[in-house]
Amino acid sequence: MSKGSRDRADKARRIVEQQRLAERRRTVATWTSVAVVAVLIIAGVIGYSMVSGKDEKTQSALVTPSVAVDEGTAFAVGSGPVTVDLYEDFMCPICKNFESTSSAGLRQLATAGKVTLRYHVVSILDRASNGTEYSTRSAGAAAAAAEEGKFTEFHDALYADQPEENSDGLSNSKIIEIGKSIGLTSDKFAAAVNAGTYTAWATKATETFSARHFTGTPTIVVNGTQVTGPQDSVPTVELITQAVDKAAG
């Protein structure tokens, strides 16, 4: 074989080897890509399962008080033709002030058969209790009290013993003690407070509050229309009564 023939043969062999090497590289790259995709799919399935499981757990944890009204988010006092919705947070000092100045007048309207008071206890001030989530815990305790027919008594007792903003709030044992002071002596109430039975419910009530485009407490709504005082201040009982009379026609 001549030198030229040998050179051409060597070149041909190199080309074939290069082609084989390139093919092996493509095969490895293909299987690597398949493996990566498989890992991503598996991770996605696991992630979805975890999220789905979490959602299902959250949903299953939602216990709505049987006595709650307005899509299970409030507790009613009275049965008058005009609806007055009160949105409050047990950690809110302005709510306590509103209750001290207006509660008696509003309850009188309910007693007289003029209004249905609907109390919505929300938890927008958890950030003001040093991580103890007092707003949520107290709202959940109020739901437990409502189940035993003691909502208004417990509501009033919590405001009477309201902790300061940016404190730890009241402990569960203190909340249970307050409950006992107004007749909530059953093991069921104490167990609900300690177990956080109505925690998910309190979250849902707060989400409903936000979905209705309300941002602060107290918020007062008469027959679907928010009532405010001058410069968006908290309305007095007189202003609320005027709104009730207007709604009643």
Side-chain angles (χ1 to χ4, degrees):
M1 180 182 294
S2 65
K3 184 177 183 300
S5 296
R6 286 197 300 273
D7 290 342
R8 286 192 295 274
D10 289 341
K11 183 176 180 181
R13 282 196 298 274
R14 287 197 298 271
I15 291 173
V16 170
E17 289 175 357
Q18 289 172 354
Q19 290 175 338
R20 287 175 178 173
L21 180 59
E23 183 62 30
R24 284 198 298 272
R25 286 173 177 169
R26 282 196 295 272
T27 301
V28 170
T30 299
W31 283 107
T32 299
S33 299
V34 170
V36 170
V37 171
V39 169
L40 291 175
I41 291 174
I42 292 171
V45 169
I46 293 173
Y48 175 78
S49 299
M50 291 177 68
V51 171
S52 298
K54 183 176 180 181
D55 288 344
E56 290 175 1
K57 183 177 180 181
T58 299
Q59 291 175 0
S60 65
L62 176 61
V63 179
T64 302
S66 62
V67 296
V69 299
D70 190 20
E71 300 177 9
T73 65
F75 305 108
V77 175
S79 56
V82 177
T83 300
V84 179
D85 289 291
L86 307 176
Y87 295 86
E88 300 176 321
D89 187 312
F90 284 119
M91 188 59 130
C92 167
I94 302 175
C95 294
K96 179 179 181 178
N97 182 63
F98 172 76
E99 283 294 325
S100 65
T101 59
S102 303
S103 179
L106 294 178
R107 298 267 177 91
Q108 180 57 41
L109 289 175
T111 301
K114 293 183 177 182
V115 305
T116 298
L117 291 178
R118 299 198 302 196
Y119 288 89
H120 303 254
V121 287
V122 299
S123 51
I124 63 174
L125 289 176
D126 274 340
R127 56 180 170 74
S129 56
N130 298 330
T132 72
E133 297 188 339
Y134 174 69
S135 292
T136 292
R137 290 188 295 111
S138 56
E147 278 288 67
E148 300 200 27
K150 292 281 187 179
F151 173 77
T152 55
E153 295 91 337
F154 187 70
H155 166 277
D156 295 349
L158 278 187
Y159 275 120
D161 207 351
Q162 186 187 62
E164 292 184 359
E165 276 190 294
N166 300 313
S167 70
D168 291 344
L170 304 180
S171 65
N172 284 350
S173 60
K174 180 61 177 178
I175 290 173
I176 293 169
E177 180 184 321
I178 290 173
K180 288 180 178 179
S181 73
I182 53 96
L184 288 167
T185 57
S186 72
D187 292 337
K188 182 180 178 181
F189 173 75
V193 173
N194 284 324
T197 300
Y198 297 103
T199 295
W201 172 84
T203 299
K204 179 186 176 183
T206 304
E207 290 172 347
T208 300
F209 169 79
S210 297
R212 292 174 178 177
H213 307 293
F214 302 132
T215 58
T217 54
T219 290
I220 298 88
V221 180
V222 175
N223 268 14
T225 301
Q226 185 173 353
V227 180
T228 60
Q231 299 179 335
D232 289 329
S233 61
V234 177
T236 62
V237 69
E238 289 79 16
L239 284 175
I240 298 172
T241 301
Q242 290 173 17
V244 167
D245 291 340
K246 182 179 179 180

